[in-house]
């Protein structure tokens, strides 16, 4: 998405990318401010919203789940991954917005021995073996979960996506390039969970 925006609008940097090329302009060189008055915004039809999780996460967007240490962010992230993978809601709290597909969870602090236990615990919460409980979508949704959810434990691995050499701008690392290639090879990838930010970002989080 960033690459498409830079192609369309430029990066806004002062230096030209080549001796014979002009310096790229920013988005503001092409904006007509009259197109953004309240009158124009009120009279135009509302743009369609596609939700990955209704009222919580828009499709095609980046979101940051933040909170104090030890408050369950990683477990909540895994729950949300489950919901998108199988298309089931969580007791009316989080409801999928009709987007169901593969979810890639990069568990940067998780041991390979812990991940199966967490997956089993959430599976049992979403798909209870409840005797006479009637749910005609139960088997189909669990099968979708089995096929769509991908959880990779990465404790102890080098995961830095960005790096910085001196005062220059940050640059993507080989980890970033390889992760991008991996994601492009996953069919119907609807959500990527990167947890936690501190293990992947590589720069000052503040």
């Amino acid at each position: 998405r960033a690459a498409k925006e830079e192609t369309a609008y430029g990066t806004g940097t002062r230096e030209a990318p080549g001796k014979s090329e002009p310096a790229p302009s920013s988005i503001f060189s092409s904006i007509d401010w009259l197109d953004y008055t309240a009158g124009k915004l009120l009279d135009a039809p509302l743009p369609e919203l596609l939700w990955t999780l209704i009222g919580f996460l828009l499709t095609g967007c980046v979101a940051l789940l933040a909170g104090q240490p030890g408050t369950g962010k990683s477990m909540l992230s895994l729950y949300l991954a489950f919901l998108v993978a199988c298309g089931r809601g969580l007791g009316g709290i989080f409801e999928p917005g009709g987007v169901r597909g593969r979810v890639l969870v990069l568990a940067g602090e998780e041991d390979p021995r812990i991940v199966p236990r967490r997956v089993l615990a959430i599976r049992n919460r979403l798909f209870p073996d409840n005797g006479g409980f009637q749910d005609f979508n139960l088997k189909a949704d669990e099968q979708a979960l089995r096929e769509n959810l991908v959880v990779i434990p990465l404790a102890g691995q080098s995961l830095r996506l960005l790096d910085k050499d001196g005062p220059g701008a940050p640059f993507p690392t080989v980890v970033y390039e390889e992760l991008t290639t991996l994601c492009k090879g996953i069919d119907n990838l609807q959500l990527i969970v990167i947890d936690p930010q501190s293990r992947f970002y590589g720069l000052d989080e503040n």
Side-chain angles (χ1 to χ4, degrees), residues 67-189:
Q68 293 294 325
T71 52
K73 298 185 298 296
S74 294
M75 202 65 172
L76 175 58
S77 298
L78 192 54
Y79 259 112
L80 301 181
F82 264 74
L83 303 186
V84 177
C86 67
R88 294 182 73 85
L90 186 61
I93 303 174
F94 296 109
E95 295 296 333
V99 174
R100 181 166 82 174
R102 285 203 165 89
V103 179
L104 175 62
V105 179
L106 304 175
E109 293 182 337
E110 301 304 337
D111 187 285
R113 297 167 294 180
I114 298 299
V115 167
R117 288 171 166 79
R118 287 196 168 187
V119 171
L120 178 62
I122 299 177
R123 178 265 174 205
N124 291 341
R125 166 67 178 83
L126 291 177
F127 301 98
D129 297 323
N130 195 15
F133 179 70
Q134 295 295 319
D135 186 336
F136 297 105
N137 294 321
L138 197 66
K139 290 184 178 180
D141 289 348
E142 182 169 0
Q143 185 59 36
L145 171 69
R146 290 174 175 272
E147 295 174 0
N148 288 336
L149 183 64
V150 180
V151 186
I152 305 179
L154 293 166
Q157 302 299 316
S158 176
L159 303 173
R160 182 188 295 257
L161 297 175
L162 294 175
D163 208 340
K164 192 173 183 180
D165 186 11
F171 57 86
T173 66
V174 65
V175 178
Y176 174 87
E177 303 296 343
E178 292 174 350
L179 175 57
T180 301
T181 300
L182 173 67
C183 292
K184 289 179 178 178
I186 301 176
D187 295 332
N188 193 28
L189 182 59

Side-chain angles (χ1 to χ4, degrees), residues 34-55:
L34 290 173
D35 291 336
Y36 297 90
T37 62
K40 288 288 186 77
L41 297 177
L42 291 171
D43 293 339
L46 291 175
E48 181 182 3
L49 293 180
L50 181 59
W51 294 99
T52 296
L53 294 166
I54 296 174

